Amino acid sequence: MDPATLLDGLTERQEEAVTSTGAPLCILAGAGSGKTRVLTRRIAYRCAGGSAEPRHVLALTFTRKAAAELGRRLEALGVRDRVAAGTFHSLAYAQLRQWWADNGRRPPTLLERKAGMLARLTGGAGGTRLQPADLAAEIEWAKARMVAPDDYVEAADRADRQPPLPPSAMASLYRRYEDEKRRRGQLDFDDLLLDCVSALTQDRAFAAAQRWRYRHLFVDEFQDVNPAQAALLACWRGPSPDTSTDLCVVGDPNQAIYSWNGADPTQLQQFSRREPGATVVVLDDNFRSTPQILAVAGAVISSGPGSGNLLRARRPEGPLPWMRSFDTDGAEARGIARVLRDRHRPGAPWSDLAVLTRTNAQLVAFERALGAAGIPFRVRGGGAFLSRPEVKAALAALGQPLAPLTTGLLDMAATLRGPVRASAPAAAVGLDLDLGLELDFDGDGDNEDGDEPAAEPDGPAAERLAVLEELVRLGRDYLALEADGTVAGFVAWLGATLRSEPPRASLDAVELATFHSAKGLEWPVVFLAGLERGLVPISFAKSDDARDEERRLLYVAVTRAERELHCSWARERTVGTRVMKRQPSPWLEEIEAARAALAAGAAPAGPTEWRSRLAKERARLRGARGGAPATRSRGQVLAGGDADPELLAALKSWRTGAAKAGGVPAFVVFHDVTLATLAQARPATREELLTVPGLGPVKAERYGPALLEVVATHARSRAGPGP
Ligand code: ATP
Ligand code: MG
C-alpha cells in the first residue's frame, strides 16, 4: 500500500502519531480517539515506507479478543499475515517452545487450572471456608506482580491485600503449590511469562536472536500491562541505553480495569518519566460516539478523582441517552429484547447491537429473553451459559438422563448453600469435585490458551457460584412446567430456551458481553443493563481504589456506544432463588445530571462550559442549589395550572420530617422548585414522578413512595367523602 494513502482521513495529531520517528513513542488518548487505528496504521505505514520490515514487527495486546480485533484491523490494511501479532502469553509460549527445542528439552505440560492442585494441597484443612478459586486468584495476583512466595507477606501487606488465608499461611500454600507444580514438571500460564523472562535473561544468545527477530514492538491497551509483562517487554527490548528495539505503546489511563488482577497502570502514566527519551503524543478527538454519549461518559469519569479530560466529539449529534427502570430483571431483559427487535431494520444488522452487563451471570436472562424472542445472539467473554465449564459439569452431575430432575436439583441447591464446596458432604454427588477440582477456576471459562486475564474480579468463585444459582433457578422454572421432568428433559428444554447461535464470525447476531470483555470494541447501539448498587459498583469493591476501578469500568462500557446508549436497572432482581430489592447505581446520578444538562441546552460546546453546566445540574439534582427547573425534551407530566398551595404545604411539611429523619437540611431532600413542580404536576405513578425535573431515579427510589402517598392523600381529601 502507498504510504500516503495510509494517512488518509487522519487528523493532524493522528498523522503525527503515525509518522513520528520518536522512539520510544507513547500515544495517550481517551476512548474512541483512534489509538488502535493509529497503532495499526503506524505498523502498515512503517512497513510500506520501508522503515520496518514486516517480519521484524511484533504487535502485542492482552486478551485474545483484543488480539483478534488487532488482527482484523491489520488484515484490512493488508499486513496481517506479514507481521506477528498476538497476546503476551501466546508470544512467550512460542518463544519458550523454541528455547526448549533448541536445548533438547521436552516441553513441560501446561497446568490449565490451579484450583484442582490447590484443593488437593488444602485438602487437610477440613472445615475451612476456602475456595480454591480465591486461592488461585491470589497466587495469580502475586505472580502477575512477580512476587515470589518468600516476598508474598510483605508485598500483600504493602498492597493492602485481603487474602483468603492469613498472609503467612497464604505464602506457605503458594510455596507448596510452586514446589508441587515443578515436581510434576508442569507450568501454569503465569509461568509462561516468568519463564520466558528467565530464558531471555540467562541465555544471551537466545535473547539476541529474539531481539533480532522482533525489533519493532507495538503494544495496544498498555494501561493493562502487569509487572510480569513489563519485565518481558524489557527483555524483548534489551538492556538500555543501547537497545536497538523501537517501541510504541498506546493506552488510556481512564480505561485501566485490570488492577485487581495485578495490572500496573503507572507503567503508562509514568512512561515518559521512566523513559527519558520518550516522545508522547496526545489525541483528544473522539471519532466513535455522539456528543450526547460522550457527555455521559465525561460525567461518569470526571466526577471521579483526578480525571477530567473531556473528549471532543467529531461525530454528529445523536439522541439523548435513554434511562429506564424496570420492575424486575426479567422485565428488563424482555423490555430490552423488544427494543432490540425494533432497532433491527433493513440496513441495521443485529451485529450493530450489543447488551453489556457487569457480570457473566446477568447475561443469562438475556440469553433467555433473546432466545424466546427469536433474536440471534452471540455471547462474548465468559462464553454462552450452556458452554460454560461449570454448567456442563453441573449438568453432568445431575444424574442419569431418565432420573427425575427434582433429586439432582435439590442436591445442587443444597451444595450451593453449603459453605464449603470442596469438603462438604454433598461432594458425594460429584458436583463439588467437578466444581473445585476439575474445572477451570483460574481463568474466565474460555481460557484454554491461558492468554487472557480472568473476566471478573473477585474472583471467579463468586461469578461461578452465581452462574450455578442461575442453573438452579432455570431448573425450577422447568419443573414448574413439567413437575415430573427428567434430567434429559431439562437439558433439552435448556437447549431450546437458551438458543445461542454457534460462534461463526460471519453470523449476524446481537452481541452479549460483560463490561470487561467489551473493552476495545464498539457498536452503534449499546444497552447497559443492571446498573444497580451491588453490581455497578460491584459489591466487593470496598476500597476507594477498587471503586475507582469500577467507575473506570462503567466509563469503558459507556464509551463502547457509537450512536445510541440505553441505560437501565431493575427494582427487583432474582439472584439464584432469592428475590432481592434493588437500588439504582449511585453513578446513575451522574448520568442523570448529564442527561438533564443535555436536555436543558444544546450539546456540550466546549469542555469548560460543559463542565460548569454539568456541575450545576448535579447540584440541582441533588437539591443543593436553586434555579428554575430545566425544561425537558422528553414527555412531561406537568399538568396545566399553578402549583396547588395546599399540596405544596403538605409536601413541605413532609420534607421537614424527611430532612429531620435523615439528619440533613431540607434543601438536600428537595429544593423548593422541585416541590412546586410536584405540587403542579401531581404525579400519580412512579413513571410520572420520574418526569419531574430534579427527580432522578435515586431520589425516586428513596422518596418516591412517600411523595406519591402525600399526593394521593391530598387528592382524596380534596375529593371529600364519597356519596
Ligand atoms: P478504545 O480506547 O476504545 O480502544 P481507540 O482509541 O482504540 O478506542 P479506535 O477504536 O481506534 O479508538 O477508533 C474509534 C473509532 O473511530 C473507530 O471506528 C475508528 O475507525 C474511528 N476513527 C478513528 N480515527 C478516525 C478518523 N480520523 N476519521 C474517522 N474515523 C476515525
Ligand atoms: Mg483501542
Side-chain angles (χ1 to χ4, degrees), residues 60 87-93 95-96 146 192-200 211 217 225-238:
L60 291 157
T87 64
F88 277 82
H89 281 89
S90 62
L91 267 300
Y93 194 29
Q95 293 196 344
L96 275 176
M146 303 184 82
L192 295 180
L193 303 178
L194 300 171
D195 283 23
C196 194
V197 168
S198 345
L200 291 164
R211 281 174 208 141
L217 306 179
V225 75
N226 68 34
Q229 288 154 339
L232 188 54
L233 193 61
C235 287
W236 283 334
R237 292 175 70 196

Side-chain angles (χ1 to χ4, degrees), residues 1 4 17 70 121 129 190 202 282 290 356 486 551 558 575 697:
M1 205 180 264
L70 204 57
L121 289 173
R129 290 172 163 262
D190 319 305
Q202 287 161 25
V282 177
T290 63
L356 311 182
T486 60
R551 182 190 284 281
V558 167
V575 179

Side-chain angles (χ1 to χ4, degrees), residues 35-37 73 220-221 288 520:
K35 293 183 299 298
T36 305
R37 175 186 256 226
R73 296 201 193 186
D220 199 2
E221 309 271 5
R288 178 179 294 145

